[in-house]
Amino acid sequence: MKGIPRDLDEAARVDGCSIYGIFLKIILPLVKPALVTSAIFSFMWRWDDFLSPLIYISDPMQYPVSYALKMFSDPTVGSDWGAMFAMATLSLIPIFLIFLTMQKYLVEGIASTGIKG
């Protein structure tokens, strides 16, 4: 938000826009791609997180998918690799769907980070 020129705020104030109107009509649309990009990356990092949920969650039914994949493999007995690969593929579907639906904002957010206003 620091990269947005103050001239836009001043021009909106001269036109009679309130503080909330300036934020909702001018600043928020300019920052939207960056917010969506950070939300997508945050979701992806939390989805793949392995250790942090084990600290906070005590119920095994609420453990993350990555922990289920880890517990599915057993080094002492032969693992069912086909089922494990199927589980890994199914665990990627939510990330893939979010990427497909939010790809426009993701590309805009990454492309606009290098532009100096």
Side-chain angles (χ1 to χ4, degrees):
M1 287 187 181
K2 286 185 177 182
I4 298 173
R6 298 288 288 172
D7 297 337
L8 294 174
D9 295 351
E10 294 170 4
R13 188 170 302 260
V14 168
D15 288 341
C17 200
S18 67
I19 294 174
Y20 299 112
I22 292 170
F23 180 74
L24 291 175
K25 295 178 183 175
I26 295 172
I27 295 177
L28 194 60
L30 291 173
V31 179
K32 186 177 173 182
L35 289 175
V36 172
T37 301
S38 69
I40 289 171
F41 282 134
S42 178
F43 175 77
M44 288 172 57
W45 291 328
R46 298 298 178 257
W47 184 260
D48 288 336
D49 197 7
F50 181 76
L51 189 60
S52 295
L54 295 179
I55 295 172
Y56 304 116
I57 299 173
S58 60
D59 185 19
M61 294 300 292
Q62 295 179 347
Y63 284 159
V65 177
S66 58
Y67 190 73
L69 283 170
K70 169 70 175 108
M71 296 307 295
F72 194 72
S73 68
D74 189 9
T76 59
V77 182
S79 297
D80 186 7
W81 292 103
M84 191 180 308
F85 286 135
M87 284 176 59
T89 304
L90 286 176
S91 72
L92 292 176
I93 288 176
I95 292 177
F96 187 66
L97 290 177
I98 287 177
F99 174 75
L100 285 179
T101 56
M102 301 292 180
Q103 181 180 7
K104 178 181 111 176
Y105 297 110
L106 186 67
V107 171
E108 276 183 41
I110 293 173
S112 66
T113 57
I115 298 174
K116 184 73 175 171

